[in-house]
């Protein structure tokens, strides 16, 4: 792949999306910044190599189909589709409310599906491209008062795993990006009291409400550096830097916390399989 690459990044005006856009531009690539409010795009993206397109995760399939036509025509191709935009709805499972849960899944899962459906015909036609779906450390392990958000990320993991196999015959790739806790504005809405379910007194003093308090306390103190994380994402696609020459696996873990949890979960699964080996072997037909 020769430069300039074209990146389509949802949520490109803040956080990981902005840092990845800036990194791509520094490397001579082009960026399609897909944002809900174009007027709020920061100055560093107001340049000829960037096309700002209004994009809303709540759009219908037909609206996103039309949008995809425009996006691919903007620079004549898209090399990397980065499905980054999402949000978190927090609270214990019992505290969660149906409407809020459905809205969380619609934005974090169903909108991603709509984008994938809309863009795949164009990717197949150009016979190359990488779809990067943002999961989370919460897509590997679920946490108290974070179960609904984590469930959406588990869904992203599952659908991307299938997608990667389905699109490989067309010369296309899909990768699950798994950031840990990075110092972005992600927790700000929770710290401010929005996007969090009304508390139930019964959970006072339990892990669920201890986690609630930790959201605000942890905000702004996350260990992950989003600029470095964005650089690793760029390197994955460009085959440069720390990713140069490395086999491109299905998952791209980012952050020491994600790597540690990934190893812990792997060990837990292995222990469970060994512990119950007699049980799971007993349930097959004995031919």
């Amino acid at each position: 792949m020769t430069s300039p690459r074209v990146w389509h990044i949802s949520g490109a005006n803040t956080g990981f999306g902005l840092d990845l856009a800036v990194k791509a531009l520094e490397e001579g690539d082009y960026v399609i910044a897909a944002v809900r409010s174009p007027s709020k795009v920061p100055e560093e993206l107001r340049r000829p190599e960037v096309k700002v397109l209004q994009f809303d995760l709540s759009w219908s399939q037909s609206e996103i189909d039309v949008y995809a036509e425009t996006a691919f025509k903007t620079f004549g191709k898209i090399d990397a589709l980065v499905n980054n935009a999402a949000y978190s709805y927090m609270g214990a499972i019992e505290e969660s409310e149906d409407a809020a849960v459905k809205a969380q899944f619609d934005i974090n899962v169903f909108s991603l599906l709509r984008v994938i459906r809309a863009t795949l015909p164009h990717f197949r036609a150009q016979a190359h491209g990488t779809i990067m779906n943002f999961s989370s450390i919460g897509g590997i392990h679920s946490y108290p008062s974070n179960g609904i958000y984590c469930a959406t990320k588990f869904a992203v993991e599952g659908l991307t795993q299938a997608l990667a196999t389905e699109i490989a015959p067309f010369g296309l790739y899909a990768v699950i990006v798994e950031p840990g806790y990075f110092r972005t504005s992600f927790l700000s809405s929770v710290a401010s009291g929005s996007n969090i379910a009304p508390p139930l007194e019964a959970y006072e003093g339990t892990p669920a409400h201890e986690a609630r308090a930790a959201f605000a306390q942890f905000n702004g103190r996350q260990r992950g550096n989003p600029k470095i994380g964005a650089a690793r994402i760029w390197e994955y696609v460009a085959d440069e830097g720390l990713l140069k020459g490395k086999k491109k696996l299905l998952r791209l873990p980012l952050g020491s916390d994600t790597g540690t949890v990934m190893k812990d979960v792997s060990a837990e699964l292995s222990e469970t399989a060994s512990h119950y080996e007699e049980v799971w072997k007993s349930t097959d037909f004995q031919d």
Side-chain angles (χ1 to χ4, degrees), residues 102-277:
K102 288 177 181 178
Q104 175 86 126
F105 271 85
D106 188 60
I107 295 301
N108 290 8
V109 180
F110 288 101
S111 69
L112 182 145
L113 281 170
R114 292 190 286 267
V115 171
I116 290 170
R117 292 191 196 106
T119 55
L120 273 178
H122 303 279
F123 276 123
R124 287 201 310 274
Q126 68 181 26
H128 77 268
T130 300
I131 297 174
M132 311 190 85
N133 291 334
F134 263 66
S135 176
S136 161
I137 188 173
I140 305 170
H141 187 286
S142 193
Y143 297 91
S145 281
N146 211 358
I148 302 303
Y149 172 76
C150 291
T152 68
K153 294 306 182 180
F154 270 66
V156 169
E157 298 257 342
L159 68 89
T160 308
Q161 187 170 16
L163 177 70
T165 303
E166 292 168 356
I167 65 178
F170 307 114
L172 306 175
Y173 298 88
V175 58
I176 306 165
V177 183
E178 297 173 327
Y181 287 95
F182 277 74
R183 205 168 297 178
T184 68
S185 60
F186 182 77
L187 289 176
S188 297
S189 62
V190 180
S192 67
S194 58
N195 292 335
I196 188 163
L200 290 174
E201 188 177 347
Y203 286 93
E204 282 303 309
T206 72
H209 281 193
E210 289 168 2
R212 275 179 176 258
F215 294 147
Q217 295 167 4
F218 199 47
N219 188 35
R221 299 170 58 193
Q222 300 94 322
R223 291 186 63 186
N225 184 328
K227 293 187 184 302
I228 299 176
R232 298 292 93 85
I233 295 169
W234 182 87
E235 289 168 1
Y236 180 97
V237 172
D239 193 33
E240 296 287 351
L242 288 181
L243 277 297
K244 186 175 180 64
K246 284 189 180 293
K247 183 179 179 181
K248 300 302 187 287
L249 301 178
L250 174 65
R251 294 173 174 85
L252 179 61
L254 299 173
S256 57
D257 47 359
T258 291
T260 300
V261 166
M262 183 176 281
K263 288 185 174 183
D264 290 345
V265 169
S266 177
E268 180 186 351
L269 289 172
S270 180
E271 179 185 5
T272 301
S274 296
H275 183 74
Y276 289 118
E277 185 168 359

Side-chain angles (χ1 to χ4, degrees), residues 58-111:
S58 66
W59 282 348
S60 67
Q61 186 68 64
S62 60
E63 290 172 313
I64 292 181
D65 288 346
V66 172
Y67 171 87
E69 292 272 359
T70 300
F72 273 84
K73 288 178 181 176
T74 299
F75 292 117
K77 64 173 182 172
I78 292 175
D79 298 301
L81 175 74
V82 183
N83 290 315
N84 160 67
Y87 77 100
S88 58
Y89 170 64
M90 307 296 199
I93 299 301
E94 186 181 357
E95 293 170 336
S96 65
E97 300 171 309
D98 246 20
V101 172
K102 288 177 181 178
Q104 175 86 126
F105 271 85
D106 188 60
I107 295 301
N108 290 8
V109 180
F110 288 101
S111 69

